[in-house]
Amino acid sequence: MSNIDKFKKLYNFEFEKIKTGSFEEVSEKYLATYKDGKEKGYTPVFLTVDEYLLKTFEISMKDENTDNMIDIFNKNLEKAKNINPIELFNKFIEQNADSIKSNVNEDFTKNNYEINDSNKNNLKFLTIFNNEGNLKDNVILVKVPTIKPYEILAYFGMGSEGIATVKYWYEKYGAVPAAITYDEIEFYVERPVLTFEEAKKLAIEQYAFCYGLLWECYDTLDELASAIYKNVHWYFWWS
C-alpha cells in the first residue's frame, strides 16, 4: 500500500497530489487555495506523506490506545481550551532565564543587522522541496475541514500546549500552519510583526515552542528576531 493510500485510510479529507512546480508556483497555488478555503469553509495545508510522518501518526494512536486520529484531535483540542499560552511562555522564561539572557544582546536593535526586507513578503515553502530544489515525493495539498487554522495541528497529532500556542499566534498574527512534515512546520503569517521590539518578544515565544530553533536554525534570539521581523513566513524544525 502506498503512503498516500495509508493516509487516505486515516483521513477522509479532500486533497490534491502536487507533482511539479517551482517555489513560486507552489506558493501561488497555496495562496489561491487559501483564499478559496476562506470562502468554502476549509483550510489548506501541504503535507509530505513519507514513512516518518505516517510513523508519528502510528505512535500517537498507540500512545492514546486508539486506531482513529480523530479521537486524538478531539482530546487534544478539548485539553487546549484550558491552557493559557502566556502562562506557558512566562514559565519557560523563568525556567530558562540564563539561556535566554546569554542569547540576547540588551543593546541590540534592528540597526545592528543589515536586514533585507525585500523577500519577506514572498511566501517560499522550503519543507516540500529537497536540497536540490526538486519537489519531494508524496506531497499533497490537503483541504482540512475547518475555518480555524490552528486546528490543523490538532488533526495531525500536535499536543494540547502546542495547539493553544498556535491558536494564540493565529488570533494575534494570523499565523496559519501551511506546510507540515514529520519534524517541520511552516506558517503563512497574514499580519507579520512590524516592530522590532515585538519581534524580540515573539522570538522568545517561538524558542519556547521549538527549543531547537536556536543552534539548529539560528545562533541567537537576536538573529531569530531579525528573521521574524516583517516576515510572512515562519519556520520550525524539531531535530
Side-chain angles (χ1 to χ4, degrees):
M1 184 183 297
S2 71
N3 288 345
I4 299 295
D5 287 336
K6 291 177 182 177
F7 175 82
K8 288 166 67 175
K9 288 188 67 176
L10 292 172
Y11 296 96
N12 186 28
F13 294 165
E14 182 181 349
F15 67 85
E16 174 186 352
K17 186 170 183 180
I18 307 301
K19 297 180 180 179
T20 187
S22 65
F23 287 103
E24 293 77 13
E25 289 170 334
V26 167
S27 296
E28 288 173 3
K29 184 172 188 62
Y30 171 81
L31 291 172
T33 308
Y34 182 64
K35 181 180 179 181
D36 182 68
K38 282 192 170 185
E39 297 173 356
K40 297 180 180 177
Y42 69 86
T43 304
V45 63
F46 287 112
L47 290 185
T48 303
V49 188
D50 57 19
E51 60 187 279
Y52 302 107
L53 183 66
L54 292 171
K55 187 66 175 179
T56 63
F57 296 159
E58 180 184 329
I59 292 171
S60 294
M61 289 186 291
K62 183 177 180 180
D63 288 345
E64 296 295 335
N65 194 29
T66 181
D67 60 358
N68 189 340
M69 285 297 294
I70 304 304
D71 291 342
I72 299 174
F73 163 81
N74 290 326
K75 180 179 180 179
N76 287 339
L77 199 62
E78 187 63 29
K79 288 173 64 177
K81 293 178 182 178
N82 299 316
I83 295 174
N84 184 336
I86 302 299
E87 292 179 358
L88 293 179
F89 299 147
N90 289 338
K91 182 178 180 180
F92 177 84
I93 291 169
E94 181 180 342
Q95 293 177 341
N96 296 273
D98 291 341
S99 175
I100 292 170
K101 186 175 181 179
S102 67
N103 282 284
V104 173
N105 180 350
E106 293 181 357
D107 298 323
F108 182 86
T109 70
K110 67 184 179 70
N111 296 323
N112 291 89
Y113 271 118
E114 289 292 332
I115 298 178
N116 182 357
D117 294 334
S118 61
N119 293 322
K120 291 190 172 183
N121 286 320
N122 297 322
L123 185 63
K124 184 177 181 180
F125 293 107
L126 305 174
T127 59
I128 62 177
F129 292 89
N130 61 26
N131 292 335
E132 288 72 43
N134 299 316
L135 193 72
K136 293 178 180 177
D137 294 332
N138 295 322
V139 174
I140 59 177
L141 183 58
V142 184
K143 296 181 178 180
V144 181
T146 180
I147 59 173
K148 300 174 181 177
Y150 57 87
E151 290 186 352
I152 288 174
L153 297 181
Y155 273 114
F156 299 121
M158 177 163 278
S160 54
E161 290 187 357
I163 295 166
T165 298
V166 173
K167 179 178 184 289
Y168 169 74
W169 286 339
Y170 171 68
E171 292 171 346
K172 189 170 184 179
Y173 303 111
V176 178
I180 298 172
T181 74
Y182 77 98
D183 63 352
E184 298 165 294
I185 302 175
E186 294 180 275
F187 284 78
Y188 166 53
V189 186
E190 293 187 288
R191 299 184 299 278
V193 174
L194 297 179
T195 70
F196 205 72
E197 283 303 313
E198 181 72 13
K200 290 167 71 175
K201 293 177 183 177
L202 178 57
I204 295 175
E205 295 177 4
Q206 293 197 359
Y207 180 33
F209 179 68
C210 179
Y211 201 73
L213 274 179
L214 292 192
W215 308 294
E216 296 289 355
C217 300
Y218 303 97
D219 291 331
T220 65
L221 283 167
D222 299 330
E223 186 179 338
L224 173 57
S226 72
I228 294 168
Y229 178 61
K230 294 186 178 181
N231 207 333
V232 300
H233 175 265
W234 295 349
Y235 171 79
F236 297 91
W237 176 35
W238 288 263
S239 59

